Amino acid sequence: MKKDETILKLGHIIKFARSKKNITQEQLVELTNISKSTIANLECGIGNPTFKTIYQIGKALDIDMGVLNNFQL
């Protein structure tokens, strides 16, 4: 599957924020009830997440939705 630049940027933000909070993917699964494969794929720049998925991850990692919308750190 081809990686989309937007999803790659989103994945980098999610991975960075998760690492900064010292949260494992498994812990993020518990916080969001999103599958580990979905989180792993997003962090690798694969997939097409729904707004709900992005919102749940952002909320769990305390990422402002404006940051996710603009893909800035």
Side-chain angles (χ1 to χ4, degrees):
M1 179 179 280
K2 186 179 183 226
K3 294 182 180 180
D4 180 274
E5 187 176 325
T6 303
I7 301 301
L8 275 171
K9 289 178 184 178
L10 176 63
H12 289 299
I13 291 170
I14 292 169
K15 187 172 185 175
F16 176 81
R18 183 178 60 74
S19 296
K20 190 173 179 181
K21 292 183 92 39
N22 201 27
I23 294 174
T24 65
Q25 286 183 347
E26 290 81 9
Q27 290 169 318
L28 188 56
V29 167
E30 291 176 22
L31 292 170
T32 62
N33 204 27
I34 296 169
S35 73
K36 185 175 183 224
S37 62
T38 297
I39 291 170
N41 284 341
L42 283 174
E43 288 188 3
C44 291
I46 301 169
N48 189 14
T50 64
F51 178 80
K52 181 179 179 180
T53 297
I54 295 169
Y55 176 79
Q56 287 175 294
I57 292 171
K59 185 175 178 184
L61 296 175
D62 296 321
I63 303 172
D64 183 88
M65 290 306 291
V67 171
L68 288 176
N69 186 46
N70 294 317
F71 301 109
Q72 299 172 358
L73 291 174

Coordinates of all heavy atoms in Angstrom, one line a residue:
M1 N 0.8 -1.2 0.0 CA 0.0 0.0 0.0 C 0.9 1.2 0.0 O 1.8 1.3 0.8 CB -0.9 0.0 1.3 CG -1.8 1.2 1.3 SD -2.9 1.1 2.8 CE -4.1 0.0 2.2
K2 N 0.6 2.2 -0.9 CA 1.4 3.4 -1.0 C 1.1 4.3 0.2 O 0.0 4.5 0.7 CB 1.0 4.2 -2.2 CG 1.8 5.4 -2.5 CD 1.5 6.1 -3.8 CE 2.4 7.2 -4.0 NZ 1.8 8.4 -4.4
K3 N 2.2 4.9 0.7 CA 2.0 5.8 1.9 C 1.7 7.2 1.4 O 2.4 7.8 0.6 CB 3.3 5.8 2.7 CG 3.6 4.4 3.4 CD 4.8 4.5 4.2 CE 5.1 3.1 4.8 NZ 6.3 3.1 5.6
D4 N 0.7 7.8 2.0 CA 0.3 9.1 1.8 C 1.1 10.1 2.6 O 1.2 9.9 3.8 CB -1.2 9.3 2.0 CG -1.7 10.6 1.8 OD1 -1.7 11.5 2.7 OD2 -2.2 10.9 0.7
E5 N 1.6 11.2 2.1 CA 2.4 12.1 2.8 C 1.6 12.7 4.1 O 2.2 12.9 5.1 CB 2.8 13.3 1.9 CG 3.8 14.2 2.6 CD 4.3 15.3 1.7 OE1 4.5 15.0 0.5 OE2 4.5 16.4 2.2
T6 N 0.4 13.0 3.9 CA -0.4 13.5 5.0 C -0.5 12.5 6.2 O -0.4 12.8 7.3 CB -1.8 13.8 4.5 OG1 -1.7 14.8 3.5 CG2 -2.7 14.4 5.7
I7 N -0.7 11.2 5.8 CA -0.8 10.2 6.8 C 0.6 9.9 7.5 O 0.7 9.7 8.7 CB -1.4 8.9 6.3 CG1 -2.8 9.1 5.7 CG2 -1.4 7.8 7.3 CD1 -3.8 9.6 6.7
L8 N 1.6 10.1 6.7 CA 3.0 10.0 7.2 C 3.2 11.0 8.3 O 3.7 10.8 9.4 CB 4.0 10.1 6.1 CG 4.4 8.8 5.4 CD1 5.3 9.2 4.2 CD2 5.1 7.8 6.3
K9 N 2.8 12.3 8.0 CA 3.0 13.4 8.9 C 2.2 13.1 10.2 O 2.6 13.3 11.3 CB 2.6 14.7 8.3 CG 3.5 15.2 7.3 CD 3.1 16.5 6.6 CE 4.0 17.0 5.5 NZ 3.5 18.2 4.9
L10 N 0.9 12.7 10.0 CA 0.1 12.4 11.2 C 0.7 11.3 12.0 O 0.7 11.4 13.2 CB -1.3 12.0 10.7 CG -2.3 11.5 11.8 CD1 -2.6 12.6 12.7 CD2 -3.6 11.0 11.1
G11 N 1.2 10.3 11.4 CA 1.9 9.2 12.1 C 3.0 9.6 12.9 O 3.3 9.2 14.0
H12 N 3.8 10.5 12.3 CA 5.0 11.1 13.0 C 4.5 11.8 14.3 O 5.2 11.7 15.3 CB 5.8 12.0 12.2 CG 6.6 11.2 11.1 ND1 7.5 10.3 11.4 CD2 6.5 11.3 9.8 CE1 8.0 9.8 10.2 NE2 7.4 10.4 9.2
I13 N 3.5 12.6 14.2 CA 3.0 13.4 15.3 C 2.5 12.4 16.4 O 2.8 12.6 17.6 CB 1.9 14.3 14.8 CG1 2.4 15.5 14.0 CG2 1.1 14.9 16.1 CD1 1.4 16.3 13.3
I14 N 1.7 11.4 16.0 CA 1.2 10.5 17.0 C 2.3 9.8 17.7 O 2.4 9.7 18.9 CB 0.2 9.5 16.3 CG1 -1.0 10.2 15.8 CG2 -0.1 8.3 17.3 CD1 -1.9 9.3 14.9
K15 N 3.3 9.3 16.9 CA 4.4 8.5 17.5 C 5.2 9.4 18.4 O 5.6 9.0 19.5 CB 5.3 7.9 16.4 CG 6.4 7.0 17.0 CD 7.1 6.3 15.9 CE 8.1 5.3 16.4 NZ 8.7 4.5 15.4
F16 N 5.5 10.7 18.0 CA 6.3 11.6 18.8 C 5.5 11.9 20.1 O 6.1 11.9 21.2 CB 6.5 12.9 18.0 CG 7.2 14.0 18.8 CD1 8.5 14.0 18.9 CD2 6.4 15.0 19.4 CE1 9.2 15.0 19.7 CE2 7.1 16.0 20.1 CZ 8.4 16.0 20.3
A17 N 4.2 12.2 20.0 CA 3.5 12.5 21.2 C 3.4 11.3 22.2 O 3.5 11.5 23.4 CB 2.1 13.0 20.8
R18 N 3.2 10.1 21.6 CA 3.2 8.9 22.4 C 4.5 8.7 23.1 O 4.5 8.4 24.3 CB 2.8 7.7 21.5 CG 2.6 6.4 22.3 CD 2.2 5.3 21.4 NE 3.1 5.0 20.3 CZ 4.3 4.4 20.5 NH1 4.7 4.0 21.7 NH2 5.1 4.2 19.5
S19 N 5.6 8.8 22.4 CA 6.9 8.7 23.0 C 7.2 9.7 24.0 O 7.8 9.4 25.1 CB 8.0 8.7 21.9 OG 7.8 7.7 21.0
K20 N 6.8 10.9 23.8 CA 7.0 12.0 24.7 C 6.3 11.8 26.1 O 6.8 12.1 27.1 CB 6.6 13.3 24.1 CG 7.0 14.6 24.9 CD 6.6 15.8 24.1 CE 7.0 17.0 24.9 NZ 6.7 18.3 24.2
K21 N 5.1 11.1 26.0 CA 4.4 10.8 27.2 C 4.8 9.5 27.8 O 4.2 9.0 28.8 CB 2.9 10.8 26.9 CG 2.3 12.2 26.6 CD 0.8 12.2 26.3 CE 0.0 12.4 27.5 NZ 0.3 13.4 28.5
N22 N 5.7 8.8 27.1 CA 6.2 7.5 27.5 C 5.1 6.5 27.6 O 5.0 5.7 28.6 CB 7.0 7.6 28.9 CG 7.9 6.5 29.1 OD1 8.4 5.9 28.2 ND2 8.2 6.2 30.4
I23 N 4.3 6.4 26.6 CA 3.2 5.5 26.5 C 3.5 4.5 25.4 O 3.9 4.9 24.3 CB 1.9 6.3 26.1 CG1 1.5 7.2 27.3 CG2 0.7 5.3 25.8 CD1 0.3 8.1 27.0
T24 N 3.3 3.2 25.6 CA 3.5 2.2 24.6 C 2.2 2.2 23.7 O 1.2 2.7 24.1 CB 3.7 0.8 25.3 OG1 2.4 0.4 25.9 CG2 4.8 0.8 26.2
Q25 N 2.4 1.5 22.6 CA 1.2 1.3 21.7 C 0.1 0.5 22.5 O -1.1 0.8 22.3 CB 1.6 0.6 20.4 CG 2.4 1.4 19.5 CD 2.7 0.7 18.2 OE1 2.6 -0.5 18.1 NE2 3.1 1.5 17.2
E26 N 0.5 -0.5 23.3 CA -0.5 -1.2 24.0 C -1.2 -0.4 25.0 O -2.5 -0.5 25.2 CB 0.2 -2.4 24.8 CG 0.8 -3.5 23.9 CD 2.1 -3.2 23.3 OE1 2.8 -2.1 23.6 OE2 2.5 -3.9 22.4
Q27 N -0.5 0.6 25.6 CA -1.2 1.5 26.6 C -2.2 2.4 25.8 O -3.2 2.7 26.3 CB -0.2 2.3 27.4 CG 0.6 1.4 28.4 CD 1.8 2.2 29.0 OE1 2.5 2.8 28.3 NE2 1.9 2.0 30.3
L28 N -1.7 2.8 24.6 CA -2.6 3.7 23.8 C -3.9 2.9 23.4 O -4.9 3.5 23.3 CB -1.8 4.3 22.6 CG -2.6 5.3 21.8 CD1 -3.0 6.5 22.6 CD2 -1.7 5.8 20.6
V29 N -3.7 1.7 23.1 CA -4.9 0.8 22.8 C -5.8 0.8 23.9 O -7.0 1.0 23.7 CB -4.4 -0.6 22.5 CG1 -5.6 -1.6 22.4 CG2 -3.7 -0.7 21.1
E30 N -5.3 0.7 25.1 CA -6.2 0.7 26.3 C -6.9 2.0 26.5 O -8.1 2.1 26.9 CB -5.4 0.3 27.6 CG -4.9 -1.1 27.6 CD -4.1 -1.4 28.8 OE1 -4.1 -0.7 29.8 OE2 -3.3 -2.4 28.7
L31 N -6.2 3.1 26.2 CA -6.8 4.4 26.4 C -7.8 4.8 25.4 O -8.7 5.6 25.6 CB -5.6 5.5 26.4 CG -4.7 5.5 27.6 CD1 -3.5 6.4 27.3 CD2 -5.4 5.9 28.8
T32 N -7.6 4.2 24.2 CA -8.5 4.6 23.0 C -9.5 3.6 22.6 O -10.4 3.9 21.9 CB -7.6 5.0 21.8 OG1 -6.9 3.9 21.4 CG2 -6.7 6.2 22.1
N33 N -9.2 2.3 22.9 CA -10.0 1.2 22.4 C -9.9 1.1 20.9 O -10.8 0.7 20.2 CB -11.5 1.3 22.9 CG -12.2 -0.1 22.9 OD1 -11.5 -1.1 23.0 ND2 -13.5 -0.1 22.7
I34 N -8.8 1.5 20.4 CA -8.5 1.4 18.9 C -7.5 0.2 18.8 O -6.6 0.1 19.7 CB -7.8 2.7 18.4 CG1 -8.9 3.8 18.5 CG2 -7.3 2.5 17.0 CD1 -8.3 5.2 18.2
S35 N -7.6 -0.6 17.8 CA -6.7 -1.8 17.7 C -5.3 -1.4 17.6 O -4.9 -0.3 17.0 CB -7.1 -2.6 16.5 OG -6.8 -2.0 15.3
K36 N -4.4 -2.3 18.1 CA -3.0 -2.0 18.0 C -2.5 -2.0 16.5 O -1.7 -1.2 16.2 CB -2.2 -3.1 18.7 CG -0.7 -2.8 18.7 CD 0.1 -3.8 19.6 CE 1.5 -3.4 19.6 NZ 2.5 -4.4 19.4
S37 N -3.1 -2.8 15.7 CA -2.7 -2.8 14.3 C -3.1 -1.4 13.6 O -2.3 -0.9 12.8 CB -3.4 -3.9 13.5 OG -4.8 -3.8 13.5
T38 N -4.2 -0.8 14.0 CA -4.5 0.5 13.5 C -3.6 1.5 13.9 O -3.1 2.3 13.1 CB -6.0 0.9 13.9 OG1 -6.9 -0.1 13.3 CG2 -6.3 2.3 13.4
I39 N -3.2 1.5 15.2 CA -2.2 2.5 15.7 C -0.9 2.3 15.1 O -0.3 3.3 14.7 CB -2.2 2.4 17.3 CG1 -3.5 2.9 17.9 CG2 -1.0 3.2 17.8 CD1 -3.7 2.6 19.3
A40 N -0.4 1.0 15.0 CA 0.9 0.8 14.4 C 0.9 1.2 12.9 O 1.8 1.8 12.5 CB 1.2 -0.7 14.5
N41 N -0.2 0.9 12.2 CA -0.3 1.3 10.8 C -0.2 2.9 10.7 O 0.5 3.4 9.8 CB -1.5 0.8 10.1 CG -1.4 -0.7 9.8 OD1 -0.3 -1.2 9.7 ND2 -2.6 -1.3 9.6
L42 N -1.0 3.6 11.5 CA -1.0 5.0 11.4 C 0.4 5.6 11.7 O 0.9 6.5 11.0 CB -2.0 5.6 12.5 CG -3.4 5.5 12.1 CD1 -4.3 6.0 13.2 CD2 -3.7 6.3 10.8
E43 N 1.1 5.0 12.7 CA 2.4 5.5 13.0 C 3.4 5.2 11.9 O 4.4 6.0 11.7 CB 2.9 4.9 14.3 CG 2.2 5.5 15.5 CD 2.9 5.0 16.8 OE1 3.9 4.3 16.8 OE2 2.3 5.4 17.9
C44 N 3.1 4.2 11.1 CA 4.0 3.9 9.9 C 3.5 4.6 8.6 O 4.1 4.5 7.6 CB 4.0 2.4 9.6 SG 4.8 1.5 10.9
G45 N 2.4 5.4 8.8 CA 1.9 6.1 7.6 C 1.0 5.3 6.7 O 0.9 5.6 5.5
I46 N 0.4 4.3 7.2 CA -0.5 3.5 6.4 C -1.9 3.6 7.0 O -2.1 3.6 8.2 CB 0.0 2.0 6.5 CG1 1.4 1.8 6.0 CG2 -1.0 1.1 5.8 CD1 2.0 0.5 6.3
G47 N -2.9 3.7 6.1 CA -4.3 3.7 6.5 C -4.9 5.0 6.1 O -4.4 5.9 5.5
N48 N -6.2 5.0 6.5 CA -7.0 6.2 6.2 C -8.0 6.4 7.4 O -9.1 5.9 7.4 CB -7.8 6.0 4.9 CG -8.6 7.3 4.5 OD1 -8.3 8.3 5.0 ND2 -9.5 7.1 3.6
P49 N -7.4 7.0 8.5 CA -8.2 7.0 9.8 C -9.4 7.9 9.7 O -9.5 8.9 8.9 CB -7.2 7.6 10.8 CG -6.3 8.5 9.9 CD -6.2 7.7 8.6
T50 N -10.4 7.5 10.4 CA -11.6 8.4 10.5 C -11.3 9.5 11.4 O -10.4 9.5 12.2 CB -12.8 7.6 11.1 OG1 -12.5 7.2 12.4 CG2 -13.1 6.3 10.2
F51 N -12.2 10.5 11.4 CA -12.1 11.6 12.3 C -12.2 11.2 13.8 O -11.4 11.6 14.6 CB -13.1 12.7 12.0 CG -13.1 13.9 13.0 CD1 -12.1 14.9 12.8 CD2 -13.9 13.9 14.1 CE1 -12.1 15.9 13.7 CE2 -13.8 15.0 15.0 CZ -12.9 16.0 14.8
K52 N -13.0 10.2 14.0 CA -13.2 9.7 15.4 C -11.9 9.1 15.9 O -11.6 9.3 17.0 CB -14.4 8.7 15.4 CG -14.6 8.1 16.7 CD -15.8 7.1 16.7 CE -16.0 6.5 18.1 NZ -17.1 5.5 18.1
T53 N -11.3 8.3 15.0 CA -10.0 7.7 15.4 C -8.9 8.7 15.7 O -8.3 8.7 16.8 CB -9.5 6.8 14.3 OG1 -10.4 5.7 14.1 CG2 -8.1 6.2 14.6
I54 N -8.8 9.7 14.9 CA -7.9 10.8 15.1 C -8.2 11.6 16.4 O -7.3 11.9 17.2 CB -7.8 11.8 13.9 CG1 -7.3 11.1 12.7 CG2 -7.0 13.0 14.2 CD1 -7.4 11.8 11.4
Y55 N -9.5 11.8 16.6 CA -9.9 12.5 17.8 C -9.6 11.7 19.1 O -9.1 12.3 20.1 CB -11.4 12.8 17.7 CG -12.0 13.4 19.0 CD1 -11.8 14.8 19.2 CD2 -12.6 12.7 20.0 CE1 -12.3 15.4 20.4 CE2 -13.1 13.3 21.1 CZ -13.0 14.6 21.3 OH -13.4 15.2 22.5
Q56 N -9.9 10.4 19.1 CA -9.6 9.6 20.2 C -8.1 9.5 20.6 O -7.8 9.6 21.7 CB -10.1 8.2 20.0 CG -11.6 8.0 20.0 CD -12.1 6.6 19.7 OE1 -11.9 6.2 18.5 NE2 -12.7 6.0 20.6
I57 N -7.3 9.4 19.6 CA -5.9 9.4 19.8 C -5.4 10.7 20.3 O -4.6 10.8 21.3 CB -5.1 9.0 18.5 CG1 -5.4 7.5 18.2 CG2 -3.6 9.2 18.7 CD1 -4.9 7.0 16.8
G58 N -5.9 11.8 19.7 CA -5.5 13.1 20.1 C -5.9 13.4 21.5 O -5.1 13.9 22.3
K59 N -7.1 13.0 21.9 CA -7.5 13.2 23.3 C -6.7 12.4 24.3 O -6.3 12.9 25.3 CB -9.0 12.8 23.4 CG -9.6 13.0 24.7 CD -11.1 12.7 24.7 CE -11.7 12.9 26.1 NZ -13.1 12.6 26.1
A60 N -6.4 11.1 23.9 CA -5.6 10.3 24.8 C -4.2 10.8 25.0 O -3.6 10.6 26.1 CB -5.6 8.9 24.3
L61 N -3.6 11.5 24.0 CA -2.3 11.9 24.0 C -2.2 13.4 24.3 O -1.1 14.0 24.3 CB -1.5 11.6 22.7 CG -1.4 10.2 22.4 CD1 -0.8 10.0 21.0 CD2 -0.5 9.5 23.4
D62 N -3.3 14.1 24.6 CA -3.4 15.5 24.9 C -2.8 16.3 23.7 O -2.1 17.3 24.0 CB -2.6 15.9 26.2 CG -3.3 15.2 27.4 OD1 -4.5 15.2 27.5 OD2 -2.6 14.8 28.3
I63 N -3.2 15.9 22.5 CA -2.8 16.7 21.3 C -3.9 17.6 20.9 O -5.0 17.1 20.7 CB -2.4 15.8 20.2 CG1 -1.3 14.8 20.5 CG2 -2.0 16.6 19.0 CD1 -1.1 13.7 19.5
D64 N -3.7 18.9 20.8 CA -4.7 19.8 20.4 C -5.1 19.4 19.0 O -4.3 19.2 18.1 CB -4.1 21.2 20.4 CG -5.1 22.3 20.0 OD1 -5.8 22.7 20.9 OD2 -5.2 22.6 18.8
M65 N -6.4 19.4 18.7 CA -6.9 19.1 17.4 C -6.4 20.1 16.3 O -6.3 19.7 15.2 CB -8.5 19.1 17.4 CG -9.0 17.9 18.2 SD -8.4 16.3 17.7 CE -9.2 16.1 16.1
G66 N -6.2 21.3 16.7 CA -5.6 22.2 15.7 C -4.2 21.8 15.3 O -3.9 21.9 14.1
V67 N -3.4 21.2 16.2 CA -2.1 20.7 15.8 C -2.3 19.5 14.8 O -1.6 19.4 13.8 CB -1.3 20.2 17.1 CG1 -0.1 19.5 16.7 CG2 -1.0 21.4 18.0
L68 N -3.2 18.6 15.1 CA -3.5 17.5 14.2 C -4.0 18.0 12.9 O -3.6 17.4 11.9 CB -4.5 16.5 14.8 CG -3.9 15.7 16.0 CD1 -5.0 14.8 16.6 CD2 -2.8 14.8 15.6
N69 N -4.8 19.0 12.9 CA -5.4 19.5 11.7 C -4.3 20.2 10.8 O -4.3 20.0 9.6 CB -6.5 20.6 12.0 CG -7.2 21.0 10.7 OD1 -7.5 20.2 9.9 ND2 -7.4 22.3 10.6
N70 N -3.3 20.9 11.4 CA -2.3 21.5 10.7 C -1.0 20.7 10.6 O -0.1 21.1 9.9 CB -1.9 22.9 11.4 CG -3.1 23.8 11.3 OD1 -3.7 24.0 10.3 ND2 -3.4 24.5 12.4
F71 N -0.9 19.6 11.3 CA 0.2 18.7 11.2 C 1.5 19.4 11.6 O 2.5 19.4 10.9 CB 0.4 18.0 9.9 CG -0.8 17.2 9.5 CD1 -1.7 17.6 8.5 CD2 -1.1 16.0 10.2 CE1 -2.8 16.9 8.1 CE2 -2.3 15.3 9.8 CZ -3.1 15.7 8.8
Q72 N 1.4 20.2 12.7 CA 2.6 20.9 13.2 C 2.8 20.5 14.7 O 1.9 20.1 15.4 CB 2.3 22.4 13.2 CG 2.1 23.0 11.8 CD 1.6 24.4 11.9 OE1 1.5 25.0 13.0 NE2 1.4 25.0 10.7
L73 N 4.1 20.5 15.1 CA 4.4 20.2 16.5 C 4.8 21.5 17.1 O 5.3 22.4 16.6 CB 5.6 19.2 16.5 CG 5.3 17.8 16.1 CD1 6.5 17.0 16.0 CD2 4.3 17.2 17.0

